[in-house]
């Protein structure tokens, strides 16, 4: 598994990655096996320090993402939009099937114990603050930071943590780069390799 894999609007989850994913249950969600083990260790450490963090969402199948996508587009069309308008609107808040990090099992949405949905103010909670300080040690990064929207293509999501391995996570955290910048600066052949891979 390439833990630095880039999944975004231009880069779908490659089928060979999707079909060979090894998933493991952790805290009620499914994640890729190494990501799951690290998430488990991270949540346990937080609990030891008196911080209870809930795992809300992990791996989602491509067909599940497809269902989310089609329902959202249909809702927008029912509201009077043309199909291209509906697709443009839905794209602002939902990844297309194969284009969500949740489709590759490396992303987890986290929240406070009583929540049953993502929280806009998660970064102000003790759980959000603990993660911002400690997640890198366990190989997780805050994937969609503020001020990087023009590079990630995704609005700030204080709840969405992505497993990249602890070495990369520590570098990303200390440098203040987002994953796109990190890949650009730390991997010479990144753009050539990815662009040819996905065509
Ligand atoms: Zn997420």
């Amino acid at each position: 598994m390439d833990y630095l894999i880039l999944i975004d609007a231009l880069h779908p989850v490659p089928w060979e990655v999707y079909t060979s994913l090894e998933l493991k249950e952790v805290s009620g969600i499914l994640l890729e096996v190494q990501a799951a083990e690290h998430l488990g260790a991270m949540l346990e450490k937080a609990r030891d320090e008196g911080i209870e963090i809930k795992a809300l969402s992990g791996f989602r199948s491509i067909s599940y993402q497809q269902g989310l996508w089609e329902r959202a587009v249909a809702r927008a069309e029912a509201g009077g939009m043309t199909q291209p308008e509906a697709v443009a609107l839905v794209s602002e808040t939902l990844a297309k099937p194969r284009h969500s990090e949740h489709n590759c099992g490396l992303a987890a949405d986290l929240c406070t114990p009583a929540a049953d949905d993502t929280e806009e103010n998660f970064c102000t909670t003790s759980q959000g603050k603990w993660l911002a300080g400690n997640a890198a040690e366990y190989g997780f990064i805050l994937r969609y930071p503020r001020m990087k929207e023009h590079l990630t293509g995704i609005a700030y999501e204080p709840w969405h943590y992505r497993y990249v391995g602890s070495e990369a996570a520590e570098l990303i955290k200390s440098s203040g780069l987002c994953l796109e910048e990190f890949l650009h600066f730390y991997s010479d052949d990144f753009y050539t390799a990815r662009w040819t891979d996905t065509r």
Side-chain angles (χ1 to χ4, degrees):
M1 182 82 195
D2 171 13
Y3 293 108
L4 288 173
I5 191 169
L6 181 66
I7 309 294
D8 63 14
L10 292 174
H11 303 87
V13 178
W15 285 115
E16 62 273 22
V17 169
Y18 186 72
T19 52
S20 59
L21 263 183
E22 268 189 81
L23 297 168
K24 186 179 169 180
E25 198 254 317
V26 57
S27 212
I29 62 169
L30 283 176
L31 282 187
E32 184 277 338
V33 61
Q34 188 173 313
E37 280 162 13
H38 284 76
L39 185 79
M42 179 167 80
L43 299 188
E44 199 176 307
K45 174 72 170 160
R47 194 172 302 124
D48 284 351
E49 296 184 11
I51 310 278
E52 192 67 35
I53 299 171
K54 182 173 162 184
L56 192 61
S57 178
F59 170 76
R60 293 177 205 146
S61 70
I62 290 173
S63 57
Y64 180 79
Q65 191 81 23
Q66 180 86 34
L68 288 180
W69 174 263
E70 284 170 6
R71 279 193 297 280
V73 171
R75 258 198 311 277
E77 285 181 303
M81 285 187 169
T82 64
Q83 213 233 357
E85 287 168 345
V87 165
L89 177 76
V90 172
S91 303
E92 288 174 16
T93 53
L94 190 67
K96 284 182 184 152
R98 276 184 78 193
H99 289 269
S100 166
E101 287 197 333
H102 290 281
N103 296 149
C104 72
L106 297 177
D109 292 339
L110 304 169
C111 65
T112 59
D116 54 12
D117 202 351
T118 54
E119 300 156 290
E120 294 293 336
N121 69 342
F122 187 57
C123 61
T124 65
T125 65
S126 52
Q127 288 80 0
K129 287 177 186 166
W130 190 92
L131 285 167
N134 296 282
E137 196 183 321
Y138 297 88
F140 284 88
I141 56 166
L142 179 72
R143 175 67 178 90
Y144 305 118
R146 271 200 187 102
M147 308 298 289
K148 302 288 185 183
E149 296 89 343
H150 60 297
L151 295 168
T152 63
I154 307 274
Y156 174 53
E157 291 195 352
W159 57 83
H160 181 107
Y161 276 82
R162 156 71 194 268
Y163 184 75
V164 291
S166 51
E167 195 184 344
E170 295 280 8
L171 273 167
I172 287 169
K173 183 185 168 204
S174 60
S175 63
L177 300 174
C178 65
L179 182 61
E180 283 78 2
E181 293 168 302
F182 176 79
L183 293 170
H184 179 69
F185 292 120
Y186 284 81
S187 168
D188 294 343
D189 58 358
F190 170 70
Y191 280 106
T192 339
R194 299 296 158 148
W195 280 102
T196 46
D197 270 5
T198 54
R199 291 296 161 93

